[in-house]
């Protein structure tokens, strides 16, 4: 069945349908993830977005429920370069069945090179997967407004525990990936996941050893509640920010945020640690970054940068026990070179306790 | 960068047809090291492929390569460091022997890594010491040890005998106690030691290539998946990248292990690790081999990911860090990224004999070609199922359809190099996919794709003229010729249908879209974005090639392509290389030649190049099925007289235009040696000139023969009489020697003739005996044990 991909500047591409037949629209994101299709699709950072995957022959190994990063994916639609025919072995689902079950529309056999070249020229665009490519469809996508409460849609409603016997860590859920909890479980951490709008007083009452602010979708300037909470908590508790959390910590200290032209979306993008010069590879998924000016005035040191374009990837506070990274160290999908950052966080907690 | 090194010795190729041809990598390594201001000394056994005037090789030594000659070279040339990673196994074995003097640095590899490549004990022990999984293995002369091993590790196991001269018998598969007792009873006194290891036959094979610099920054280039399991040699089975059938967790496991291996052996440079993955006990994997040098896998990954492994590895060897490198033009180059890929790339092995061969753990194939596509079906159709490239006898595959089910099944359990075609027929007959997958251990996705291809063919036949099915078929890689045949219409009618259905073929560059370094290799694919612009301001000369079946043909064609491209550039022409598969182009002057990969020979049908682009075409192939070329310059015999026999033969190379002709050079060969001379060394003979003239005016009859610009006459002088033994048109097998010794620039003159300039206008000074007189002619002499070039 034919479907069309319509962008808001009138550019259209034709493709074949896969998944649910509904019509959907959202912000377009081009992701270069080569492996881990299930993890990419269930990542809550893509809430409200339409993901275009440039990898070839997706879905050859079926969908494996052991690798979900969230039970229900919240992306609006998926665009595939090409998909492989599925052969049913044992209990896995095919890509088509998975997308139909989760009500996600998809379109395949799209020329993603044309798409990527177009986006390189014209910047961030909105896209829709629809059944026609006439003017009516273009008008509809032009009228789409990007929502501002994306974090509220994916954050948990009630706090819940992930009990264990080690350090007590609170994770502020901005749309977090389950792998963060997995990494904490490997390290025996007694974690509690709280909603994004939990107040500072409520977190205080739980008396945590450390706080992690997770990754999530959308513009960090929209989540003003969490920024205020971080401002109140940052003098008293060790903090670790990932992705959206990193930007929130920066905003809570009066730094500035800018939008990158293309963003980093890849399973293994390089990151260089400035102190040692070490270059490692990890999963990136962000279009915002901290601007360079004003960082020193806010008493932060830049600890990690990206060697290909010099973007700031990690910061650490000069005297408070706070550090944060823009990329995803829990790396699902992607290279797991930097999962040791969780160990560094726990070490930081131990030394803060002793002091 | 290493500061106290000045002279670097690069160990190059030995004369062997089974080793990989790394000529292009050797050039690129020498060029980049020269740019870094080191002196490059290259030693090679193989003279012909390196004979060019490359100014980035400071000294070229042609000699046998063994520990003694290397040590001599080190002494005579004050060598400070050696790079052995370009010399295939031989260079590494010299390093493993530990006979290099201690004050000479070994770059890119080290004693331990080289030894681990050959010695099983060193390999296993070092990996176990680093907590990396390796196959359990013991070597013993004691019967009890064998039974203990079997009790611990369970059947199946494999055994072999190690003889006193360090050779070994082949591995025997042992499934049960009865087979084991039989094996031991053949030599119950244990005169030779027995090696026993756990059998991994049937497990899936993968390999990862890593690059590590001296600051321990390691990245991987790519993961290669083997479609056929362990039991068939890695280079005989179809290789695919990226690995489609692995989950993210499995890939990260293998990746971490590969990075750990590079660190464990302290390799600064490139290293490839081979894995076996056990799908029954998920999570178990073993490391089966490490290859600490450039190899077939790195050549394949270079092409697939467009990541210049040769240049990067050379710079890492001399101590640079991976984000501060330079590229061939001297600009800064940041190689700290793990490259991405948008096209599925397969490496298809070829066998030079067209008979069906059994596939076994020992390598039997002798060549390979690379195909790209978006879809698995497309890549199968253009690659292993494409009879034009694999040159499988069409009658042979028809015969498989006559076999009954049992005979077909026999062929499936003993796999041959026609495995995919046979499986396709089996699936058509209704064999079950899970059952076939269990028997052949091929992942069901590939079998499902083969069945899907058959379904599309049936749909095409049933629904003639249906545009949706046409689009499906073109996406899955069906050629225009095949669809037109199935629909019983002409190709032009089909092209009209395709145009009306708005299906556009475009040429896409094979590099990743955000990569700044373009690869200049273009693949036709259905899409909306054309990346190749045909420049109609300058005229174009198209060179058409086909995959060569023999090693010497490959060397000859590679040489010709680079020389022709050079001559084209000098004369103000563009060069486009159109071939059925990807080629390695040896660029001496560093300019880029565009390549169009056209597996079905349909680049005109796709309307990607206009017909006038093919006006000047040079075809370096003997494949006479080419419908679009006008000339055939692969050597074609047009006359042979087998009664003419003599001990000494002369082969004359002749260039001609419509009126005149000139002898450029000649090869004098007898049983012992072969020497090539410039034509000015000839004793002028009027009879010779007359006989050649007569042949040219009378016997070149067909249009192709009349248009041909280059001829070869093989002549014997018997009793002072001149007898023609053989005449052929096109570039002969000795063209490289001819080109080197000839006093006029052979290829440049040839190109001028192709364009239409006459010999007269060139003012070459041809005398009445049709050659150019010149007092300093060069001479090359090649005998069975020596090579000499004198000027």
């Amino acid at each position: 069945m034919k479907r069309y991909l319509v962008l808001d500047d009138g550019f259209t591409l034709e493709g074949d349908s896969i998944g649910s037949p509904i019509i959907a629209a959202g912000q377009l994101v081009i992701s270069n993830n080569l492996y881990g299709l299930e993890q990419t699709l269930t990542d809550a950072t893509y809430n409200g977005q339409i993901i275009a995957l440039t990898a070839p022959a997706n879905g050859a190994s079926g969908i494996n429920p052991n690798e979900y990063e969230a039970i229900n994916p919240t992306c609006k639609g998926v665009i595939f370069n090409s998909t492989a025919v599925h052969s049913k072995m044992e209990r896995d689902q095919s890509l088509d069945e998975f997308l139909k079950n989760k009500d996600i529309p998809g379109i395949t056999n799209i020329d993603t090179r044309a798409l990527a070249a177009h986006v390189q020229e014209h910047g961030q665009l909105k896209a829709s997967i629809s059944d026609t490519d006439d003017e009516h469809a273009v008008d509809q996508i032009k009228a789409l407004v990007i929502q501002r409460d994306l974090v509220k849609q994916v954050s948990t409603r009630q706090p819940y525990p992930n009990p264990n016997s080690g350090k007590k860590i609170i994770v502020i859920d901005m749309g977090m990936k389950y792998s963060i909890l997995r990494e904490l479980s490997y390290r025996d951490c007694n974690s509690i996941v709280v909603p994004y709008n939990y107040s500072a007083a409520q977190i205080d009452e739980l008396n945590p050893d450390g706080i992690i602010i997770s990754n999530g979708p959308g513009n960090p300037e929209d989540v003003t509640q969490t920024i205020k909470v971080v401002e109140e908590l940052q003098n008293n508790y060790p903090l670790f920010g990932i992705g959206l959390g990193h930007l929130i910590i920066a905003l809570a200290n009066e730094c500035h945020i800018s939008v990158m032209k293309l963003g980093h979306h890849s399973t293994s993008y390089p990151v260089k640690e400035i102190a040692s010069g070490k270059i490692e590879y990890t999963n990136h998924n962000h279009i915002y970054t901290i601007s360079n000016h004003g960082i020193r005035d806010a008493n932060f040191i830049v600890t990690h940068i990206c060697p290909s374009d010099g973007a700031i990837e990690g910061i650490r506070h000069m005297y408070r026990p706070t550090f944060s990274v823009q990329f995803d160290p829990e790396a699902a999908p992607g290279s797991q070179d930097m999962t040791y950052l969780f160990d560094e966080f726990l070490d930081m907690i131990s030394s803060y306790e002793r002091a | 960068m290493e500061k106290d090194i000045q002279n670097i010795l690069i160990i190059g190729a030995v004369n062997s047809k089974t080793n990989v041809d790394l000529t292009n990598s050797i050039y690129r390594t020498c060029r980049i090291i020269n740019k870094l201001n080191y002196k490059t000394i290259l030693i090679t056994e193989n003279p012909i492929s390196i004979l060019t005037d490359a100014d980035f090789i400071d000294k070229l030594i042609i000699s046998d390569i063994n520990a003694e000659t290397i040590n001599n070279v080190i002494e005579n040339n004050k060598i400070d460091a050696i790079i052995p990673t370009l010399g295939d196994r031989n260079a590494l074995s010299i390093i493993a022997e530990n006979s290099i003097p201690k004050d000479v640095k070994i770059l890119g590899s080290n004693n331990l890594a080289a030894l681990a490549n050959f010695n099983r004990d060193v390999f296993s022990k070092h990996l176990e010491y680093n907590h990396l999984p390796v196959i359990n293995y013991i070597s013993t002369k004691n019967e009890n040890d064998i039974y203990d091993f079997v009790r611990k590790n369970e059947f199946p196991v494999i055994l072999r005998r190690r003889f006193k001269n360090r050779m070994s018998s082949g591995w025997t598969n042992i499934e049960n106690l009865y087979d084991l007792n039989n094996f031991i009873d053949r030599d119950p006194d244990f005169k030779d030691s027995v090696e026993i290891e756990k059998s991994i036959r049937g497990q899936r094979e993968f390999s990862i290539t890593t690059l590590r610099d001296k600051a321990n920054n390691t990245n991987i280039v790519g993961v290669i998946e083997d479609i056929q399991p362990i039991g068939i040699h890695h280079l005989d089975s179809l290789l695919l990248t990226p690995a489609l059938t692995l989950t993210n967790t499995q890939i990260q496991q293998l990746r971490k292990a590969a990075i750990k291996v590079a660190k464990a052996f302290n390799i600064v440079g490139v290293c490839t690790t081979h894995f076996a993955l056990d799908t029954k006990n998920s999570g178990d994997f073993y490391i089966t081999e490490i290859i600490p040098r450039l190899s077939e896998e790195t050549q394949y990954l270079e092409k697939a990911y467009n990541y210049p492994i040769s240049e990067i590895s050379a710079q890492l060897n001399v101590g640079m860090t991976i984000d501060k490198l330079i590229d061939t033009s001297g600009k800064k180059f940041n190689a700290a990224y793990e490259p991405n890929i948008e096209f599925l790339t397969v490496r298809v092995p070829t066998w030079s004999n067209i008979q069906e061969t059994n596939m076994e753990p020992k390598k039997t194939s002798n060549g390979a070609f690379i195909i790209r596509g978006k879809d698995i079906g497309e890549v199968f159709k253009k690659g292993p199922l494409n009879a034009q490239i694999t040159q499988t006898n069409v009658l042979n595959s028809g015969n498989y359809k006559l076999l009954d089910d049992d005979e077909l099944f026999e062929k499936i359990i003993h796999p041959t190099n026609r495995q995919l075609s046979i499986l396709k027929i089996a699936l058509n007959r209704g064999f079950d996919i899970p059952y076939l997958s269990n028997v052949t251990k091929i992942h069901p996705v590939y079998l499902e794709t083969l069945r899907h291809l058959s379904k599309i063919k049936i749909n095409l036949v049933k629904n003639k003229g249906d545009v949706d099915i046409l689009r499906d078929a073109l996406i899955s890689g069906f050629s225009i010729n095949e669809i037109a045949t199935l629909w019983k219409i002409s190709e032009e009618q089909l092209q009209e249908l395709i145009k009306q259905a708005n299906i556009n073929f475009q040429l896409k560059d094979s590099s990743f879209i955000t990569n700044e370094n373009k690869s200049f290799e273009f693949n036709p694919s259905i899409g909306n974005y054309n990346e190749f612009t045909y420049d109609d301001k300058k005229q174009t000369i198209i060179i058409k090639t086909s995959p060569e079946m023999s090693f010497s043909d490959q060397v000859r064609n590679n040489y010709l392509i680079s020389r022709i491209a050079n001559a084209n550039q000098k004369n103000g022409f563009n060069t486009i290389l159109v071939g059925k598969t990807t080629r390695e182009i040896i660029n001496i002057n560093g300019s880029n030649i565009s390549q169009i990969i056209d597996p079905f020979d349909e680049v005109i049908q796709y309307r990607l190049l206009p017909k006038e682009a093919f006006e000047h075409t040079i075809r370096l192939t003997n494949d006479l099925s080419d419908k679009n070329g006008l000339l055939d310059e692969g050597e074609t015999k047009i006359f042979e007289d087998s009664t003419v026999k003599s001990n000494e033969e002369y082969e004359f190379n002749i260039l001609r235009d419509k009126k005149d002709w000139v002898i450029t050079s000649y090869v004098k060969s007898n049983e012992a040696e072969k020497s090539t001379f410039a034509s000015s060394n000839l004793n002028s003979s009027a009879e010779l000139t007359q006989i050649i003239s007569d042949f040219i005016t009378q016997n070149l009859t067909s249009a192709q023969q009349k248009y041909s610009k280059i001829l070869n006459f093989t002549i014997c002088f018997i009793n002072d009489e001149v007898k023609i033994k053989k005449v052929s048109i096109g570039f002969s097998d000795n063209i490289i020697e001819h080109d080197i010794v000839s006093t006029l620039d052979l290829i440049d003159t040839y190109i001028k003739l192709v364009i239409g300039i006459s010999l007269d206008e060139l003012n070459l000074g041809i005398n009445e005996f049709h050659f150019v007189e010149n007092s300093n002619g060069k001479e090359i002499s090649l005998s069975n044990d020596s090579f000499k070039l004198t000027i």
Side-chain angles (χ1 to χ4, degrees), chain B residues 46-47 109 151-152 202 228 232 240 298 334 361 375 442 457 497 517 576 737:
Chain B
N46 184 355
S109 187
R151 239 168 264 142
K152 240 198 311 186
Q228 276 113 350
I232 295 178
L240 185 72
T298 57
N334 177 4
D375 192 44
I442 295 181
K457 192 165 178 181
L497 266 177
N517 300 332
I576 301 180
E737 284 106 312

Side-chain angles (χ1 to χ4, degrees), chain A residues 64-100:
Chain A
N64 181 356
N66 294 336
E67 309 231 340
Y68 285 171
E69 290 298 311
I71 301 288
N72 284 319
T74 49
C75 59
K76 278 302 189 69
V78 199
I79 301 169
F80 292 107
N81 185 358
S82 70
T83 46
V85 287
H86 178 252
S87 178
K88 189 149 184 88
M89 292 281 280
E90 297 159 34
R91 298 174 56 195
D92 59 350
Q93 286 180 319
S94 77
L95 183 59
D96 196 23
E97 283 170 7
F98 172 75
L99 291 175
K100 282 202 172 88

Side-chain angles (χ1 to χ4, degrees), chain A residues 75-187:
Chain A
C75 59
K76 278 302 189 69
V78 199
I79 301 169
F80 292 107
N81 185 358
S82 70
T83 46
V85 287
H86 178 252
S87 178
K88 189 149 184 88
M89 292 281 280
E90 297 159 34
R91 298 174 56 195
D92 59 350
Q93 286 180 319
S94 77
L95 183 59
D96 196 23
E97 283 170 7
F98 172 75
L99 291 175
K100 282 202 172 88
N101 285 342
K102 306 287 184 186
D103 285 332
I104 299 178
I107 183 171
T108 179
N109 291 330
I110 287 279
D111 186 358
T112 46
R113 286 183 81 94
L115 195 60
H118 189 82
V119 166
Q120 262 184 336
E121 273 184 54
H122 294 97
Q124 306 285 345
L125 290 170
K126 294 178 277 191
S128 94
I129 300 178
S130 76
D131 295 323
T132 56
D133 65 341
D134 52 9
E135 274 194 33
H136 179 62
V138 177
D139 287 338
Q140 277 202 318
I141 182 68
K142 277 196 184 140
L144 177 79
V145 175
I146 305 278
Q147 296 157 318
R148 306 200 59 183
D149 62 344
L150 293 169
V151 171
K152 182 174 172 189
Q153 293 172 6
V154 288
S155 177
T156 176
R157 300 264 182 274
Q158 299 287 343
Y160 62 89
N162 191 22
N164 213 318
S165 55
K167 303 237 182 290
K168 191 185 220 171
I169 310 280
I170 286 199
V171 181
I172 303 184
D173 182 4
M174 319 287 294
M176 86 176 168
K177 287 159 84 164
Y178 288 170
S179 286
I180 296 182
L181 291 181
R182 277 194 201 109
E183 293 293 327
L184 292 175
S185 290
Y186 289 152
R187 294 162 175 84

Side-chain angles (χ1 to χ4, degrees), chain B residues 502-759:
Chain B
N502 224 358
I503 302 175
N504 300 316
F505 277 92
Q506 266 120 16
L507 286 174
K508 302 210 177 287
D509 192 291
S510 61
S511 61
F512 195 67
I513 186 70
T514 51
N515 198 348
E516 285 159 4
N517 300 332
K518 296 294 167 201
S519 71
F520 294 97
E521 279 181 29
F522 296 94
N523 299 285
S525 145
I526 298 181
N528 303 68
Y529 178 55
N530 193 14
E531 298 176 38
F532 176 76
T533 40
Y534 174 67
D535 181 8
D536 48 2
K537 289 190 221 102
K538 263 184 178 182
Q539 272 197 297
T540 310
I541 293 189
I542 289 190
I543 307 177
K544 287 199 78 171
T545 63
S546 231
E548 296 88 2
M549 286 292 129
S550 82
F551 186 69
S552 55
D553 273 350
Q554 203 177 41
V555 166
R556 186 198 75 165
N557 283 351
N558 283 344
Y559 178 87
L560 281 173
I561 290 171
S562 73
R563 289 280 288 137
I564 291 176
N566 214 2
N568 284 351
Q569 200 188 28
K570 266 198 257 170
N571 289 299
F573 273 59
N574 277 333
T575 316
I576 301 180
L577 193 59
V578 175
K580 296 211 171 104
T581 65
T582 316
R583 281 199 87 90
E584 292 269 345
I585 302 182
I586 301 174
N587 265 330
I588 302 302
N589 52 2
S591 64
N592 289 312
I593 307 176
S594 301
Q595 264 195 73
I596 295 182
I597 320 264
D598 181 21
F600 294 127
D601 205 7
E602 292 184 334
V603 79
I604 288 189
Q605 280 85 329
Y606 297 149
R607 299 186 182 189
L608 294 167
L609 284 180
K611 263 212 160 104
E612 45 284 1
F614 285 84
E615 190 188 323
H616 300 298
T617 309
I618 302 174
R619 216 173 78 196
L620 295 179
T621 164
N622 295 329
D623 177 10
L624 295 172
S625 65
D626 190 329
K627 321 174 264 298
N628 294 320
L630 294 176
L631 314 178
D632 173 13
E633 299 290 28
E635 183 175 10
T636 322
K637 218 169 10 182
I638 56 176
F639 171 84
E640 187 170 22
D641 184 353
S642 44
T643 61
V644 175
K645 286 196 180 60
S646 163
N647 280 341
E648 222 171 45
E649 283 180 3
Y650 289 76
E651 178 188 279
F652 292 94
N653 186 40
I654 291 179
L655 289 176
R656 63 180 281 266
D657 65 4
K658 293 200 181 83
K659 299 187 200 143
D660 203 0
W661 52 276
V662 61
I663 303 180
T664 60
S665 46
Y666 65 96
V667 174
K668 177 170 113 174
S669 60
N670 54 31
E671 274 174 21
E673 68 171 334
K674 191 170 80 160
S675 314
T676 317
F677 302 90
S679 52
S680 48
N681 292 348
L682 262 181
N683 292 328
S684 339
S685 156
E687 194 189 347
L688 176 67
T689 316
Q690 189 60 43
I691 286 204
I692 296 181
S693 252
D694 285 340
F695 192 98
I696 291 178
T697 40
Q698 295 159 9
N699 293 34
L700 294 179
T701 46
S702 76
Q704 191 190 54
Q705 295 167 359
K706 278 197 201 146
Y707 190 63
S708 167
K709 303 274 179 285
I710 184 166
L711 304 167
N712 305 287
F713 280 76
T714 308
I715 287 185
C716 301
F717 295 96
I718 302 181
N719 299 334
D720 285 340
E721 261 188 65
V722 176
K723 294 266 185 202
I724 299 183
K725 181 168 176 181
K726 188 174 89 165
V727 179
S728 63
I729 54 175
F731 298 109
S732 85
D733 284 338
N734 301 312
I735 186 66
I736 301 182
E737 284 106 312
H738 282 299
D739 187 35
I740 294 170
V741 302
S742 153
T743 40
L744 42 82
D745 189 340
L746 208 164
I747 302 289
D748 188 54
T749 315
Y750 170 75
I751 293 290
K752 289 190 160 75
L753 295 175
V754 164
I755 300 172
I757 307 179
S758 70
L759 281 171

Side-chain angles (χ1 to χ4, degrees), chain A residues 2 11-16 32-39 54-62 64 67 80-89 109-118 120-121 262 265-270 272 277-282 307-309 331-337 339, chain B residues 215-220 222-223 241-253 255-256 259 305 322-324 334-344 373-376 433-434 437 443-445 448-449 452 468 471-472 475 501-502 506 508-515 518 526-529 531:
Chain A
K2 250 196 219 178
F11 186 70
T12 59
L13 290 172
E14 193 183 299
D16 297 317
N32 300 327
N33 287 3
L34 260 187
Y35 307 114
L37 185 60
E38 306 89 335
Q39 290 156 324
T54 55
N58 292 294
S61 54
N64 181 356
E67 309 231 340
F80 292 107
N81 185 358
S82 70
T83 46
V85 287
H86 178 252
S87 178
K88 189 149 184 88
M89 292 281 280
N109 291 330
I110 287 279
D111 186 358
T112 46
R113 286 183 81 94
L115 195 60
H118 189 82
Q120 262 184 336
E121 273 184 54
L262 282 177
H265 301 281
S266 170
T267 38
S268 67
Y269 218 75
K272 182 172 178 173
K278 200 166 48 162
I279 298 180
E280 286 169 320
Y281 301 88
T282 182
S308 35
D309 55 5
S335 318
Q336 295 171 341
D337 286 346
T339 47
Chain B
N216 200 25
N217 296 325
T218 320
N219 64 341
I220 66 168
V223 183
T241 188
L244 295 177
T245 55
L246 284 182
T247 62
N248 180 55
T249 321
Q250 287 167 323
I251 290 195
Q252 299 312 325
Q253 242 185 347
R255 180 178 181 275
K256 274 197 246 185
I259 292 180
Y305 287 89
I322 195 153
D323 54 340
K324 298 194 169 68
N334 177 4
Y337 60 96
E338 293 195 349
N340 240 315
I341 192 173
E342 263 167 340
F343 287 104
L344 265 184
K374 272 173 48 153
D375 192 44
I376 306 180
I433 286 189
S437 168
H443 195 277
V445 154
E448 189 74 51
T449 312
H452 185 64
D468 283 332
R471 189 153 184 272
D472 270 344
I475 287 177
N502 224 358
Q506 266 120 16
K508 302 210 177 287
D509 192 291
S510 61
S511 61
F512 195 67
I513 186 70
T514 51
N515 198 348
K518 296 294 167 201
I526 298 181
N528 303 68
Y529 178 55
E531 298 176 38

Side-chain angles (χ1 to χ4, degrees), chain B residues 364-380:
Chain B
T364 50
S365 66
N366 19 39
F369 58 89
I370 294 177
I371 291 285
R372 294 191 189 92
K374 272 173 48 153
D375 192 44
I376 306 180
E378 180 183 349
V379 134
F380 277 179

